[in-house]
Amino acid sequence: MALEKFKAPALPLPTPQYDQLQFIQLVNALRIYFNQLDSLTPNQAQSYRADNFYGGLFSGDGYGLKLPHISASDSTDQVAGGDNTPTAVKWNTLDSGYGWTLNSPGSATAQYSGVYTIRYSLQFINSANAVHYATVWLKVNNVDAPKTATIFTIPARKSASPGEEGFNAAYSEATFVVDAGDEIELYWATDLAGNPTTPTDGVYIFHDTAQVSPYARPAIPSAIGSISFVSAVP
């Protein structure tokens, strides 16, 4: 590893005759220099440069580290394939990403192995008169990921008027090892599938555009998710 602007000390010039004090000064200067070189992070260096780093995969441009990650969202209503039917969550917008590929309509492929944390938030809505439930879980390479399922209670609507439905922003996260080439998907199912188009009362994943009245707010995505690098594979 090269240490930017880290220089050898100016050594004292030798005297014509042996001088014990001058010799001690020379030894002390060399001792301080080699102590700095032995340190893992020499304090006198202003920056560091290396071709390879060990213990993790990352890159940087002098202003910070660039770690593998992806953040995505969706701007459409999403309906289940039917009651109690596993359905993939869709993602139509790549918000940020490095080291991951967002695939249409709703999976992400890792380019680098590592330990990752996966987070998501789904805006569930219930247009039915009774409480209903939604379960969300992860799949890796089309296989259910162990211990990733979470069940959410979606409240009943207050009335049949628009805006009186029951809402629940379903959030969860999981951390596990991902291999390069693995494909990650988020799935959900509900006991009563709703559809705002038909219309059919029940549970679906809701989105809304930005509004200015009665107060200004940004758009509500139906799904928000991210995958963040935590560590190299132990």
Side-chain angles (χ1 to χ4, degrees):
M1 179 166 62
L3 308 179
E4 304 286 354
K5 298 184 179 180
F6 180 73
K7 297 180 180 179
L11 300 178
L13 295 174
T15 58
Q17 301 293 327
Y18 171 77
D19 183 276
Q20 184 179 19
L21 179 60
Q22 189 270 342
F23 184 75
I24 292 175
Q25 291 175 344
L26 172 63
V27 171
N28 284 337
L30 292 174
R31 176 180 55 80
I32 293 173
Y33 176 64
F34 286 115
N35 283 344
Q36 292 171 344
L37 287 180
D38 287 342
S39 171
L40 294 177
T41 55
N43 294 329
Q44 263 57 47
Q46 295 184 12
S47 61
Y48 310 94
R49 183 183 67 239
D51 296 324
N52 295 288
F53 295 87
Y54 297 95
L57 175 67
F58 56 85
S59 63
D61 56 6
Y63 298 96
L65 301 179
K66 187 189 297 182
L67 301 175
H69 70 281
I70 188 170
S71 176
S73 58
D74 190 77
S75 57
T76 64
D77 291 335
Q78 301 191 39
V79 300
D83 297 350
N84 301 308
T85 302
T87 304
V89 175
K90 298 177 182 178
W91 311 88
N92 66 6
T93 303
L94 175 64
D95 297 312
S96 176
Y98 167 74
W100 284 82
T101 302
L102 181 63
N103 311 303
S104 179
S107 67
T109 302
Q111 297 178 20
Y112 305 108
S113 299
V115 179
Y116 290 88
T117 293
I118 301 166
R119 301 179 177 90
Y120 65 83
S121 177
L122 304 179
Q123 182 60 72
F124 282 113
I125 184 172
N126 181 9
S127 57
N129 292 323
V131 170
H132 288 282
Y133 307 93
T135 302
V136 185
W137 68 97
L138 289 161
K139 286 192 175 188
V140 180
N141 300 326
N142 204 34
V143 177
D144 292 340
K147 298 185 290 186
T148 62
T150 305
I151 189 168
F152 300 95
T153 300
I154 318 301
R157 69 183 183 184
K158 294 181 179 179
S159 73
S161 301
E164 294 297 307
E165 301 89 350
F167 294 90
N168 189 345
Y171 172 88
S172 190
E173 63 179 65
T175 300
F176 52 82
V177 173
V178 176
D179 293 326
D182 280 353
E183 186 176 14
I184 309 297
E185 294 177 281
L186 190 64
Y187 269 74
W188 70 289
T190 178
D191 61 320
L192 185 66
N195 190 323
T197 304
T198 350
T200 302
D201 288 340
V203 174
Y204 61 95
I205 309 177
F206 167 82
H207 95 287
D208 197 12
T209 57
Q211 72 171 28
V212 295
S213 178
Y215 56 87
R217 63 153 174 79
I220 301 173
S222 57
I224 301 174
S226 66
I227 304 176
S228 303
F229 181 85
V230 175
S231 167
V233 178

